[in-house]
Amino acid sequence: MPELPEVEVVRAGLAPAVTGAVIVGVEVFEPRSLRRHDSASGHFADLLQSRGVLAAVRRGKFLWLPLDSGRALVVHLGMSGQVLLRSPGSDTDRHLRIRLQIEHPEHGELWVNFVDQRIFGSMAVDSMQPTRDGLTAGYSGLAGGATGADGLAGSGLGWSGLIPSQVAHIARDPLDPGFSAPLFLAALARKKTGIKRALLDQTLISGIGNIYADEALFEARVHYEQPADSLSPAKGRALLSAVRSILNRALAEGGTSFDAQYVNVNGQSGYFSHRLNTYGRQGLPCPRCGTLLVRQQFMNRSSHLCPRCQRLR
């Protein structure tokens, strides 16, 4: 599954192309890619036709485009979803599921192609609701996050303070300006589950998946089964710092790509896979102590760790 860095790479690439653009055409080639769209709210294409796009926003692994209608186009990449920018008339991308034709005042006409090999991802037009804390709903890269809010006049918050109903249950991610470290650490101290299970709980903290959880736990020298409520305050802060550091480093490298699955809007892969310390490196020496790294079964996936540096205490 793509994690925060991979989704942020897509959001950052989309933002300059779609912000201020108008959707002039919608083509749906695979109805299954609309599984999360509530048809009772209206026909997918009709809700998008002639609508202006105000921004590209992300919270955790979720991405959405606020519209001047007061709704939002929610994009969920699933396991293999890609959002690619193409010039009109370009060759059709393999596994193309949905295409948006947009017109931008500066960039002219563009195609936004939603490509998804396994059809686990989706697009949906969703209603918006105020955030619980009254803060900006997610990261948009815009100063103040409120440019172009006319379409939501009367809400008192503008689009920046509204979140799609499908995303409202997701916690803030550790790179979100509205993320509260004290609140997260207090909630973590009440969790009796293993620490990795807590990090993967998107209602506690969002954006972290298997790869970056393993990397952060290695950096903080914490075993993945260590009960979350057993961490000292200092160790909790160290782990959160490691999470932020790993995510920021991955962002700088364009995310993690092991194949052609996770790419930016131009189809380019990220390079953070070359800097991983533990994930997928079982049988190789620990870069810190030289002990052979191991892979152990965890839920329906695997955990990678150094048995010496990350002892269960």
Side-chain angles (χ1 to χ4, degrees), residues 228-243:
D229 63 355
S230 72
L231 296 182
S232 68
K235 182 61 75 172
R237 291 191 296 271
L239 177 58
L240 178 57
S241 177
V243 166

Side-chain angles (χ1 to χ4, degrees), residues 239-283:
L239 177 58
L240 178 57
S241 177
V243 166
R244 284 172 161 160
S245 175
I246 291 292
L247 294 177
N248 276 314
R249 281 167 12 216
L251 272 173
E253 296 283 348
T256 300
S257 299
F258 294 106
D259 49 32
Q261 202 78 279
Y262 305 137
V263 297
N264 64 17
V265 294
N266 298 313
Q268 299 169 326
S269 298
Y271 295 97
F272 192 65
S273 59
H274 301 294
R275 299 183 182 273
L276 297 174
N277 286 312
T278 56
Y279 187 87
R281 294 177 56 82
Q282 63 275 8

Side-chain angles (χ1 to χ4, degrees), residues 3 196 200 209-225 258 276-284 286-288 291-311:
E3 302 179 30
K196 182 173 179 179
L200 298 181
N210 206 42
I211 296 175
Y212 299 121
D214 281 358
E215 291 295 304
L217 290 168
F218 172 78
E219 187 163 310
R221 299 175 182 257
V222 178
H223 192 284
Y224 67 92
E225 287 186 340
F258 294 106
L276 297 174
N277 286 312
T278 56
Y279 187 87
R281 294 177 56 82
Q282 63 275 8
L284 297 175
C286 169
R288 194 159 47 206
T291 303
L292 295 184
L293 300 171
V294 299
R295 179 178 66 185
Q296 297 178 350
Q297 187 173 357
F298 171 76
M299 298 171 63
N300 61 342
R301 60 195 87 185
S302 299
S303 277
H304 305 77
L305 73 156
C306 172
R308 181 178 181 184
C309 294
Q310 297 170 262
R311 295 175 182 172

Side-chain angles (χ1 to χ4, degrees), residues 3-109:
E3 302 179 30
L4 184 156
E6 290 75 51
V7 180
E8 174 57 24
V9 166
V10 173
R11 187 213 65 78
L14 271 181
V18 302
T19 303
V22 174
I23 300 172
V24 296
V26 181
E27 298 173 275
V28 177
F29 303 100
E30 177 51 75
R32 288 178 293 174
S33 294
L34 299 181
R35 65 168 59 86
R36 293 182 177 86
H37 176 74
D38 181 8
S39 58
S41 65
H43 189 270
F44 178 78
D46 292 343
L47 293 173
L48 293 176
Q49 187 69 37
S50 302
R51 302 282 27 142
V53 180
L54 305 178
V57 191
R58 179 196 51 75
R59 176 182 286 199
K61 307 174 187 180
F62 282 81
L63 171 68
W64 69 92
L65 308 181
L67 305 171
D68 61 6
S69 63
R71 299 176 183 267
L73 174 61
V74 180
V75 183
H76 193 280
L77 298 179
M79 295 187 70
S80 59
Q82 301 172 347
V83 183
L84 305 174
L85 292 175
R86 298 296 190 225
S87 298
S90 299
D91 292 340
T92 300
D93 290 298
R94 190 180 180 189
H95 308 302
L96 176 63
R97 308 306 182 190
I98 300 172
R99 173 184 289 145
L100 306 181
Q101 301 171 25
I102 64 173
E103 287 188 358
H104 192 279
E106 295 180 17
H107 310 303
E109 185 179 350

